[in-house]
Amino acid sequence: MNYWESYNNNLLDLSEELLTHNIENDFNFIETDLYNHVHDILVLSLLLFEKKKEIRILDYGSNIIPWSNISNKIKVDNIKVTIYDPFSNNEKEVQLFDNFKVKILNSKNVLKEKNYEFLIFGSSSQYIKNFIEVLDSNMILNSNLVLFTHTPLSKKENFISNQHSGYKGHQIIRSFKFIKEKMEKNKFELIFKSALPPELASVDKEKTKNTIYSNLLFKRIM
């Protein structure tokens, strides 16, 4: 089984735990490590949208955990979430709460959509070889907000590192300056940035000093 397929399958029990907790309690489940922090950034970003009938969201390369723990944080009635999971065996719709469900799609056709208002790259961009094409795609250019969370970026030039975590593969550590300038060229403004401890990025030890483990939020300039 592919690592990421196995990883997402193993999160199903945690999802059930989160859902049960949020039904039985007034406040959300407290997640471990950095996830409580980065998932709160995701939810707070939604407040930048004016109240409207529907907010269409594409969570690129993610899983259902952030959305399993949202019900006690924010109203979800107008949130329509699609998760692009290329490692999922099938496409499905998952009912998380009475008034909230998410779609999980595995086809790249989902990336041709032009009307997602909020795009989320929760650390997935470092595994996308053709990410420059993604940044220039209509999917990005027609969105209003683009969020990167817990994403390792380089203080200098792009580099490739081994990943020292459960996943044993390569990470493409792209230049922060390049990402920022590329997004600005595409008419986006960086409106929020924050850093996490760089050692949590699990890059090669000697490359940690040149790594920013970052959260970035871009807003389209109208």
Side-chain angles (χ1 to χ4, degrees), residues 80-92:
K80 305 299 179 184
V81 178
T82 298
I83 297 171
Y84 171 55
D85 178 5
F87 304 106
S88 177
N89 284 328
N90 50 51
E91 300 190 342
K92 54 195 171 185

PDB file of all heavy atoms in Angstrom, residues 80-92:
ATOM      1  N   LYS A  80     -18.359  24.507   1.674  1.00  0.00           N
ATOM      2  CA  LYS A  80     -18.403  23.357   0.786  1.00  0.00           C
ATOM      3  C   LYS A  80     -16.964  22.911   0.501  1.00  0.00           C
ATOM      4  O   LYS A  80     -16.233  23.597  -0.216  1.00  0.00           O
ATOM      5  CB  LYS A  80     -19.121  23.702  -0.519  1.00  0.00           C
ATOM      6  CG  LYS A  80     -20.525  24.268  -0.327  1.00  0.00           C
ATOM      7  CD  LYS A  80     -21.437  23.286   0.383  1.00  0.00           C
ATOM      8  CE  LYS A  80     -22.829  23.886   0.574  1.00  0.00           C
ATOM      9  NZ  LYS A  80     -23.716  22.999   1.356  1.00  0.00           N
ATOM     10  N   VAL A  81     -16.583  21.789   1.067  1.00  0.00           N
ATOM     11  CA  VAL A  81     -15.186  21.351   1.025  1.00  0.00           C
ATOM     12  C   VAL A  81     -15.000  20.171   0.075  1.00  0.00           C
ATOM     13  O   VAL A  81     -15.733  19.178   0.140  1.00  0.00           O
ATOM     14  CB  VAL A  81     -14.693  20.941   2.435  1.00  0.00           C
ATOM     15  CG1 VAL A  81     -13.255  20.431   2.372  1.00  0.00           C
ATOM     16  CG2 VAL A  81     -14.798  22.103   3.399  1.00  0.00           C
ATOM     17  N   THR A  82     -13.996  20.301  -0.791  1.00  0.00           N
ATOM     18  CA  THR A  82     -13.536  19.194  -1.612  1.00  0.00           C
ATOM     19  C   THR A  82     -12.084  18.917  -1.262  1.00  0.00           C
ATOM     20  O   THR A  82     -11.260  19.837  -1.246  1.00  0.00           O
ATOM     21  CB  THR A  82     -13.632  19.524  -3.114  1.00  0.00           C
ATOM     22  OG1 THR A  82     -15.001  19.760  -3.460  1.00  0.00           O
ATOM     23  CG2 THR A  82     -13.093  18.379  -3.965  1.00  0.00           C
ATOM     24  N   ILE A  83     -11.780  17.671  -0.964  1.00  0.00           N
ATOM     25  CA  ILE A  83     -10.408  17.252  -0.700  1.00  0.00           C
ATOM     26  C   ILE A  83      -9.894  16.509  -1.930  1.00  0.00           C
ATOM     27  O   ILE A  83     -10.538  15.564  -2.402  1.00  0.00           O
ATOM     28  CB  ILE A  83     -10.330  16.325   0.530  1.00  0.00           C
ATOM     29  CG1 ILE A  83     -10.779  17.069   1.798  1.00  0.00           C
ATOM     30  CG2 ILE A  83      -8.912  15.782   0.713  1.00  0.00           C
ATOM     31  CD1 ILE A  83     -10.929  16.162   3.010  1.00  0.00           C
ATOM     32  N   TYR A  84      -8.773  16.962  -2.455  1.00  0.00           N
ATOM     33  CA  TYR A  84      -8.121  16.229  -3.544  1.00  0.00           C
ATOM     34  C   TYR A  84      -7.102  15.283  -2.920  1.00  0.00           C
ATOM     35  O   TYR A  84      -6.091  15.701  -2.370  1.00  0.00           O
ATOM     36  CB  TYR A  84      -7.444  17.178  -4.517  1.00  0.00           C
ATOM     37  CG  TYR A  84      -6.576  16.464  -5.545  1.00  0.00           C
ATOM     38  CD1 TYR A  84      -7.108  15.465  -6.348  1.00  0.00           C
ATOM     39  CD2 TYR A  84      -5.226  16.785  -5.684  1.00  0.00           C
ATOM     40  CE1 TYR A  84      -6.320  14.801  -7.272  1.00  0.00           C
ATOM     41  CE2 TYR A  84      -4.433  16.132  -6.617  1.00  0.00           C
ATOM     42  CZ  TYR A  84      -4.981  15.138  -7.406  1.00  0.00           C
ATOM     43  OH  TYR A  84      -4.203  14.477  -8.324  1.00  0.00           O
ATOM     44  N   ASP A  85      -7.400  13.991  -2.971  1.00  0.00           N
ATOM     45  CA  ASP A  85      -6.520  12.953  -2.429  1.00  0.00           C
ATOM     46  C   ASP A  85      -6.175  11.990  -3.556  1.00  0.00           C
ATOM     47  O   ASP A  85      -6.939  11.067  -3.851  1.00  0.00           O
ATOM     48  CB  ASP A  85      -7.211  12.216  -1.282  1.00  0.00           C
ATOM     49  CG  ASP A  85      -6.358  11.088  -0.705  1.00  0.00           C
ATOM     50  OD1 ASP A  85      -5.195  10.938  -1.135  1.00  0.00           O
ATOM     51  OD2 ASP A  85      -6.865  10.358   0.175  1.00  0.00           O
ATOM     52  N   PRO A  86      -5.029  12.181  -4.214  1.00  0.00           N
ATOM     53  CA  PRO A  86      -4.679  11.334  -5.358  1.00  0.00           C
ATOM     54  C   PRO A  86      -4.441   9.881  -4.994  1.00  0.00           C
ATOM     55  O   PRO A  86      -4.393   9.022  -5.874  1.00  0.00           O
ATOM     56  CB  PRO A  86      -3.398  11.988  -5.896  1.00  0.00           C
ATOM     57  CG  PRO A  86      -2.813  12.699  -4.722  1.00  0.00           C
ATOM     58  CD  PRO A  86      -3.991  13.180  -3.923  1.00  0.00           C
ATOM     59  N   PHE A  87      -4.324   9.591  -3.688  1.00  0.00           N
ATOM     60  CA  PHE A  87      -4.047   8.223  -3.251  1.00  0.00           C
ATOM     61  C   PHE A  87      -5.299   7.488  -2.770  1.00  0.00           C
ATOM     62  O   PHE A  87      -5.230   6.330  -2.360  1.00  0.00           O
ATOM     63  CB  PHE A  87      -2.989   8.229  -2.136  1.00  0.00           C
ATOM     64  CG  PHE A  87      -1.722   8.916  -2.535  1.00  0.00           C
ATOM     65  CD1 PHE A  87      -1.403  10.166  -2.037  1.00  0.00           C
ATOM     66  CD2 PHE A  87      -0.854   8.331  -3.449  1.00  0.00           C
ATOM     67  CE1 PHE A  87      -0.244  10.812  -2.419  1.00  0.00           C
ATOM     68  CE2 PHE A  87       0.314   8.967  -3.841  1.00  0.00           C
ATOM     69  CZ  PHE A  87       0.621  10.213  -3.319  1.00  0.00           C
ATOM     70  N   SER A  88      -6.440   8.155  -2.818  1.00  0.00           N
ATOM     71  CA  SER A  88      -7.685   7.510  -2.411  1.00  0.00           C
ATOM     72  C   SER A  88      -8.095   6.466  -3.450  1.00  0.00           C
ATOM     73  O   SER A  88      -7.970   6.696  -4.658  1.00  0.00           O
ATOM     74  CB  SER A  88      -8.790   8.554  -2.262  1.00  0.00           C
ATOM     75  OG  SER A  88     -10.016   7.954  -1.930  1.00  0.00           O
ATOM     76  N   ASN A  89      -8.600   5.324  -2.987  1.00  0.00           N
ATOM     77  CA  ASN A  89      -9.016   4.253  -3.900  1.00  0.00           C
ATOM     78  C   ASN A  89     -10.290   4.590  -4.652  1.00  0.00           C
ATOM     79  O   ASN A  89     -10.535   4.076  -5.740  1.00  0.00           O
ATOM     80  CB  ASN A  89      -9.224   2.950  -3.116  1.00  0.00           C
ATOM     81  CG  ASN A  89      -7.890   2.308  -2.750  1.00  0.00           C
ATOM     82  OD1 ASN A  89      -6.924   2.429  -3.480  1.00  0.00           O
ATOM     83  ND2 ASN A  89      -7.847   1.667  -1.599  1.00  0.00           N
ATOM     84  N   ASN A  90     -11.103   5.446  -4.063  1.00  0.00           N
ATOM     85  CA  ASN A  90     -12.364   5.795  -4.718  1.00  0.00           C
ATOM     86  C   ASN A  90     -12.775   7.209  -4.338  1.00  0.00           C
ATOM     87  O   ASN A  90     -12.230   7.797  -3.398  1.00  0.00           O
ATOM     88  CB  ASN A  90     -13.476   4.795  -4.351  1.00  0.00           C
ATOM     89  CG  ASN A  90     -13.565   4.576  -2.853  1.00  0.00           C
ATOM     90  OD1 ASN A  90     -13.637   5.525  -2.088  1.00  0.00           O
ATOM     91  ND2 ASN A  90     -13.575   3.323  -2.432  1.00  0.00           N
ATOM     92  N   GLU A  91     -13.723   7.723  -5.084  1.00  0.00           N
ATOM     93  CA  GLU A  91     -14.254   9.044  -4.791  1.00  0.00           C
ATOM     94  C   GLU A  91     -15.505   8.879  -3.942  1.00  0.00           C
ATOM     95  O   GLU A  91     -16.310   7.976  -4.174  1.00  0.00           O
ATOM     96  CB  GLU A  91     -14.547   9.789  -6.089  1.00  0.00           C
ATOM     97  CG  GLU A  91     -13.285   9.964  -6.935  1.00  0.00           C
ATOM     98  CD  GLU A  91     -13.479  10.905  -8.102  1.00  0.00           C
ATOM     99  OE1 GLU A  91     -14.642  11.159  -8.481  1.00  0.00           O
ATOM    100  OE2 GLU A  91     -12.460  11.395  -8.639  1.00  0.00           O
ATOM    101  N   LYS A  92     -15.653   9.748  -2.966  1.00  0.00           N
ATOM    102  CA  LYS A  92     -16.761   9.564  -2.026  1.00  0.00           C
ATOM    103  C   LYS A  92     -17.145  10.893  -1.388  1.00  0.00           C
ATOM    104  O   LYS A  92     -16.420  11.888  -1.469  1.00  0.00           O
ATOM    105  CB  LYS A  92     -16.369   8.559  -0.945  1.00  0.00           C
ATOM    106  CG  LYS A  92     -15.073   8.902  -0.224  1.00  0.00           C
ATOM    107  CD  LYS A  92     -14.560   7.711   0.568  1.00  0.00           C
ATOM    108  CE  LYS A  92     -13.163   7.976   1.099  1.00  0.00           C
ATOM    109  NZ  LYS A  92     -12.584   6.800   1.771  1.00  0.00           N
TER     110      LYS A  92
END
